[in-house]
Structure formats: structure tokens, C-alpha cells
Amino acid sequence: MSSVLLRFAGAAGDAEPIVEALRARSSVPIHVRDEIVRGLDFADAGTAERVTGALRRVAIELLAATDDVPALVAAVDASRRRLPVRWMTLPVGDMGRLA
């Protein structure tokens, strides 16, 4: 079965409900990283973010089997978050662990 890196990007305040929804469906490590996004796409921005042009977001990433992606996305969709979440998958060519 092939693996992908599943990445969600959403409002920083929504990180906990998203992570909890993913943890209920998967036992793999979930990586959470704060990000500042600069740009001109303000569709998901709050008022203060529109003024400054800087969106405070959180990136949530996990490895997932390709077949598990729809269920994981559905879990995040059903989570008790306040704002929209964007998601994407990236193919994983190789991976390993170095000791």
C-alpha cells in the first residue's frame, strides 16, 4: 500500500480539534507547526489578518496510507473547528529512520 504525506492548513486556534479528530482515526505521529502565511489570498483571513497581510496558520502533517485519506479528511471536516481548513497529499518516494 502506498503512503502519502497528508497536510492540513488551518487557523491556529483550530489545531486542537483537528489533531483530536485525526488521533481518533490514526495512531501515527502527527506533526504540528505554527506558520505565518504571507500573500494576497484572504478568503480564509480574519479582519486583523487582512489588515496586516499575514495569516497565522498551523500546519498539521501525518503519513497516511492512500486508502485512508478520505476517512481522515472526513474526520477533519466533521471536527468542531471554527474556520476553513485546506488539505493536500504529497507522494512519499522513500522514508526511513536513522539511529
Side-chain angles (χ1 to χ4, degrees), residues 12-70:
D14 288 336
E16 206 53 41
I18 293 170
V19 169
E20 290 305 315
L22 293 169
R23 288 184 68 199
R25 294 276 185 168
S26 178
S27 61
V28 302
I30 298 170
H31 300 262
V32 180
R33 182 177 56 255
D34 288 328
E35 295 184 334
I36 299 294
V37 179
R38 302 262 183 204
L40 301 175
D41 178 5
F42 296 111
D44 299 339
T47 303
E49 292 174 326
R50 290 172 194 239
V51 170
T52 63
L55 286 70
R56 184 165 175 253
R57 294 291 176 262
V58 63
I60 300 167
E61 298 177 337
L62 65 151
L63 288 174
T66 304
D67 294 344
D68 293 341
V69 170

